Amino acid sequence: MTRPLSRVGLPGAPSRQAVTCPYCFASVAPQRILFRCRGQAGRTRGCAPVLDEVLAAYTGSTAGASLPPVFAAPGRRGRADCPDCGRPTGNRACPECHNGLPAAYCDSPGRIVALVGAKNAGKSTYIAVLLHELMNRVGTELDASLVACDDRTIERYKRDFARPLLEERRLLPTTASAATGPREPLVYLLTRTRRTRFARARNDSLALVLFDTAGEDLRSREVTDLHLRYLEAADAIIFLVDPLELPGARAGAADAVPDARGAADDPDSEPLNVIARVTEALRQRHGTRPGEPLPVPVAVALTKIDALRPELLRQSALHRTRSGSGVLDLDDRDAVHEQVRALLHEWQAGQLDTYLGQQYAEHALFGLSALGGIPEDGRVGTGGVRPHRAEDPLLWLLYRFGMLDGVRPGGP
Ligand SMILES: Nc1nc2c(ncn2[C@@H]2O[C@H](COP(=O)(O)OP(=O)(O)OP(=O)(O)O)[C@@H](O)[C@H]2O)c(=O)[nH]1
Ligand SMILES: [Mg+2]
Ligand SMILES: [Zn+2]
Ligand SMILES: [Zn+2]
């Protein structure tokens, strides 16, 4: 089974490692990170805002790009004095795209989690629900706060995810290709307070960078440049698979489930082909030889398990709810992994499991439902959004990153 990665680079041990910008995915040496003047505040004098053209080019709009200037400085303990107005500042910015880099992010190299999957796999729905769970129930369970790193993330999460799906209960539209407009990741800092018996409370941070890729953009080999950089920068992958798209799984679908509208007769959108393209991108960055497994942990989750026949899941690990005690239950983890593996083989999708085993040092299988029920007429089903095991892949990744303990309730 799984062992946590070494704690190298995690908070506590300040690192001089390069920081990957969560917005443009450039790898930046710490001494190259810029400072941004804090500007005027009340009666305190400081630099006036000016249009930051680099930032405006990144966001594709001048709105919100009028800010006090950035400057390069050696800085001490993350602070420097503005050369123009003399005010000290601790605000940091990426030298490539000028987006703000939170101090906690610069101190602890962010973990970038890439979320991928074919068209219609359930990615956008999953992002909406996962973030909501982390801000509420799961956040409370883990003693973790999830804070957006910029105002655009807050606004876009509300406008494009939470309001339509969670408030108005409308299904989300198909994500438009990045070719039709600039796309930006949602950037959050997840901070966990850990209280151990002997040590004082300690905070661990993880940057959660979610980029809602359009399934359409992962169809072709010419994945856009930003996608490629995103995938190359990923420290972990969550790969979503719609079980109803798997060859043998239709028979396992509940009667109420309409025919799949996604990949059915498009080989480029088959889960195996999508993950193969992602794997190629990762290999370029890691420079591994073809036979060598990639070190990036990959969580593969079957989405929409509410749409499977109830008898497929009855009395099974997937059907249970997690105990929810702020640790990863490794017995439960093994049981779910084995059950999903068995389902994949039963559905003539064992190839997927075999391929992942060959290409990645570690992959873990999951089954989840973001909505908790079959939607009707473009709307969430009558009980509202009731996620089931949606947080499981993330909990496993936290465990792999050394931010969550694993226990075996049934003994070692
Ligand atoms: N039954 C069920 N259906 C779901 C669930 N999540 C998503 N769906 C269905 O799958 C459809 C596609 O979900 P999206 O989240 O838009 O999929 P996507 O991967 O973002 O698709 P693209 O943006 O086109 O790449 C939704 O409109 C729902 O009909 C779920 O948990 N249960
Ligand atoms: Mg989408
Ligand atoms: Zn200044
Ligand atoms: Zn950047």
Side-chain angles (χ1 to χ4, degrees):
M1 198 39 233
T2 56
R3 265 178 299 113
L5 296 172
S6 73
R7 304 189 59 88
V8 174
L10 278 171
S15 110
R16 299 277 78 200
Q17 240 170 290
V19 173
T20 301
C21 170
Y23 297 93
C24 70
F25 307 113
S27 175
V28 181
Q31 62 274 18
R32 282 188 59 224
I33 300 176
L34 301 176
F35 288 88
R36 188 180 291 282
C37 174
R38 287 167 63 205
Q40 298 150 337
R43 255 178 283 162
T44 319
R45 295 193 322 144
C47 296
V50 285
L51 176 65
D52 184 330
E53 289 181 8
V54 176
L55 184 63
Y58 172 88
T59 60
S61 152
T62 53
S66 278
L67 294 167
V70 291
F71 59 91
R76 249 185 308 123
R77 294 165 183 261
R79 302 188 71 77
D81 295 336
C82 173
D84 291 330
C85 70
R87 275 192 90 188
T89 176
N91 297 343
R92 315 300 306 267
C94 168
E96 302 291 334
C97 68
H98 288 193
N99 274 290
L101 298 176
Y105 186 81
C106 299
D107 295 341
S108 58
R111 300 287 195 179
I112 295 182
V113 178
L115 188 85
V116 291
K119 196 171 170 65
N120 205 40
K123 299 179 293 299
S124 303
T125 311
Y126 183 66
I127 288 179
V129 169
L130 178 67
L131 291 173
H132 184 261
E133 290 280 274
L134 287 176
M135 288 177 219
N136 295 281
R137 190 179 61 82
V138 179
T140 309
E141 178 195 330
L142 299 182
D143 234 332
S145 63
L146 186 76
V147 178
C149 289
D150 59 276
D151 294 344
R152 301 188 308 271
T153 292
I154 300 177
E155 205 178 287
R156 274 182 314 119
Y157 175 68
K158 270 197 210 143
R159 186 191 63 211
D160 298 342
F161 298 90
R163 194 174 302 144
L165 187 77
L166 304 172
E167 287 173 33
E168 298 166 6
R169 297 189 177 183
R170 286 185 284 117
L171 294 182
L172 300 175
T174 292
T175 306
S177 160
T180 65
R183 295 284 300 292
E184 263 195 83
L186 299 164
V187 184
Y188 293 90
L189 203 64
L190 181 74
T191 304
R192 241 202 118 196
T193 307
R194 300 235 268 167
R195 292 190 184 82
T196 50
R197 207 163 352 144
F198 306 107
R200 279 190 307 149
R202 192 185 77 203
N203 289 337
D204 279 352
S205 292
L206 164 98
L208 190 60
V209 182
L210 295 173
F211 192 70
D212 188 14
T213 44
E216 192 187 324
D217 289 341
L218 294 169
R219 273 187 74 245
S220 69
R221 248 151 241 279
E222 295 131 52
V223 254
T224 61
D225 190 40
L226 188 60
H227 275 89
L228 214 56
R229 271 183 290 146
Y230 172 58
L231 295 174
E232 286 174 4
D235 298 294
I237 307 264
I238 298 179
F239 178 50
L240 298 184
V241 176
D242 179 351
L244 306 175
E245 299 285 356
L246 296 175
R250 288 301 308 175
D255 297 329
V257 177
D259 271 348
R261 68 158 152 106
D265 27 53
D266 175 8
D268 282 337
S269 296
E270 271 169 26
L272 187 57
N273 293 332
V274 172
I275 194 73
R277 276 189 292 278
V278 169
T279 306
E280 274 170 30
L282 286 170
R283 284 212 177 276
Q284 285 174 21
R285 137 143 174 235
H286 290 274
T288 45
R289 279 173 286 120
E292 207 180 325
L294 282 159
V296 183
V298 51
V300 181
L302 297 179
T303 54
K304 317 185 189 180
I305 62 165
D306 58 275
L308 299 175
R309 280 187 197 287
E311 58 272 24
L312 262 182
L313 303 181
R314 201 169 288 151
Q315 308 225 324
S316 70
L318 267 182
H319 184 75
R320 289 199 291 264
T321 39
R322 223 168 37 81
S323 61
S325 46
V327 288
L328 183 72
D329 179 337
L330 297 171
D331 290 334
D332 176 69
R333 180 79 287 279
D334 289 350
V336 168
H337 181 84
E338 285 311 321
Q339 188 185 359
V340 174
R341 199 223 291 271
L343 285 172
L344 287 176
H345 283 271
E346 192 178 319
W347 293 335
Q348 299 137 50
Q351 282 268 307
L352 196 61
D353 182 46
T354 310
Y355 179 83
L356 291 162
Q358 291 164 343
Q359 302 288 327
Y360 292 88
E362 191 157 19
H363 75 284
L365 304 173
F366 300 84
L368 57 90
S369 167
L371 298 178
I374 298 167
E376 278 167 58
D377 297 334
R379 298 185 60 82
V380 174
T382 42
V385 174
R386 290 164 300 152
H388 179 67
R389 285 190 174 269
E391 69 279 20
D392 283 17
L394 194 77
L395 296 187
W396 177 71
L397 291 177
L398 291 179
Y399 166 70
R400 296 288 288 107
F401 292 154
M403 284 177 69
L404 186 70
D405 294 327
V407 295
R408 290 209 178 270

